[in-house]
Amino acid sequence: MSTATGFDVVRADPDRAALEIAHRALQSSIPLDEMLKTRCYELILKLLARRHMQRRTRVDVKKLQANDHD
């Protein structure tokens, strides 16, 4: 995918833990591996997993340990 600036944007593939959390959030009876084989389910899972990964990186453990809240 190209942007207006001409750079190629490559989305990072979510890790297995993020995929499992996204699968749990969907509350689906279909196993995770089966969902990843189907293109439409794969897109939804990866979208939710990437969102989870962004939220996961926002937590600053040192700030939590120091009880320093902005």
Side-chain angles (χ1 to χ4, degrees):
M1 176 182 353
S2 288
T3 61
T5 59
F7 293 106
D8 289 333
V9 178
V10 179
R11 291 185 177 147
D13 275 343
D15 57 359
R16 183 70 182 193
L19 286 170
E20 289 175 0
I21 290 170
H23 180 257
R24 205 172 314 130
L26 289 175
Q27 299 178 352
S28 175
S29 61
I30 304 170
L32 175 61
D33 292 327
E34 291 297 318
M35 288 183 86
L36 288 173
K37 290 179 185 175
T38 308
R39 181 74 176 146
C40 60
Y41 290 139
E42 177 189 13
L43 291 173
I44 294 168
L45 277 171
K46 287 187 175 182
L47 174 88
L48 288 173
R50 279 190 208 100
R51 188 180 304 162
H52 170 74
M53 288 174 57
Q54 288 174 347
R55 289 179 184 155
R56 183 173 59 186
T57 57
R58 288 188 208 153
V59 176
D60 188 0
V61 179
K62 294 210 180 224
K63 278 189 173 183
L64 290 175
Q65 289 173 345
N67 203 17
D68 182 22
H69 302 287
D70 291 335

